[in-house]
Amino acid sequence: RERLKMALSLLMCWRGIPILTYGTEAGLSGRTEGSNRAPMPFGADPELEELTRRLVKLRRAVSAFPRGRQAALLADREVFAFLRDDHDTRALCILNNSRAPQERVVEFPRAGKPAVWLDAFTGERIAERHGKLRLELPPRSARVLVVGWRVAQPGTAERLASIRPGSSKRRTRQGSSPA
């Protein structure tokens, strides 16, 4: 289950169009013949469904995800980190595939003025120093950090703040209707 959460985070932060298959948000695996035709277990895993909603909202709110360049910043046996950057917004996705907590320093290729990164899910602020971020990562987890979102789209701060557990109400843009 932890690995599925990490995979969903990777999928929604990675370049390209993310595609979820039937039942992924409910934890259906489809590993055996016939299980890929099982009825949808609506509400079976509310935490996983909420994470999926939050990640989709995050992808829509942060301009670097749909159109930003991508660069791997750190890759070892336990941790993988990559940056999405569209000149207005930068987003860092970092995954810990280890069963143990990990601490890493992520170094950015072009150190500009110091930035304060926002954890998109916890709201924690982390200061970048000399082009580096020191991060603590729980076991089998993913973190998504964002900087520059105010420039990218007005109101993004409010949208990011709404990406919290329990914020699954559908919102529409002005002038549009829900699909």
Side-chain angles (χ1 to χ4, degrees), residues 87-123:
H87 296 292
D88 291 327
T89 309
R90 292 186 297 159
L92 175 68
C93 183
I94 185 163
L95 304 124
N96 176 13
N97 194 35
S98 171
R99 291 186 176 123
Q102 300 291 319
E103 184 175 310
R104 293 293 187 280
V105 174
V106 177
E107 190 168 345
F108 298 99
R110 293 170 295 156
K113 65 179 186 175
V116 177
W117 291 75
L118 174 70
D119 186 306
F121 295 128
T122 67

Side-chain angles (χ1 to χ4, degrees), residues 1 13 22 63 77 83 86-88 96 115 134 151 164:
R1 191 161 182 277
C13 295
Y22 169 87
S63 64
R77 278 181 79 83
L83 181 70
D86 73 349
H87 296 292
D88 291 327
N96 176 13
R134 179 174 299 280
V151 176
R164 299 264 192 271

Side-chain angles (χ1 to χ4, degrees), residues 140-177:
R140 298 258 162 96
S141 66
R143 291 186 78 176
V144 180
L145 308 175
V146 183
V147 70
W149 39 265
R150 288 182 211 267
V151 176
Q153 294 176 346
T156 303
E158 292 78 22
R159 283 195 294 280
L160 281 177
S162 73
I163 304 172
R164 299 264 192 271
S167 68
S168 60
K169 288 193 289 185
R170 269 183 103 171
R171 294 197 179 124
T172 60
R173 291 185 187 139
Q174 249 182 343
S176 66
S177 60

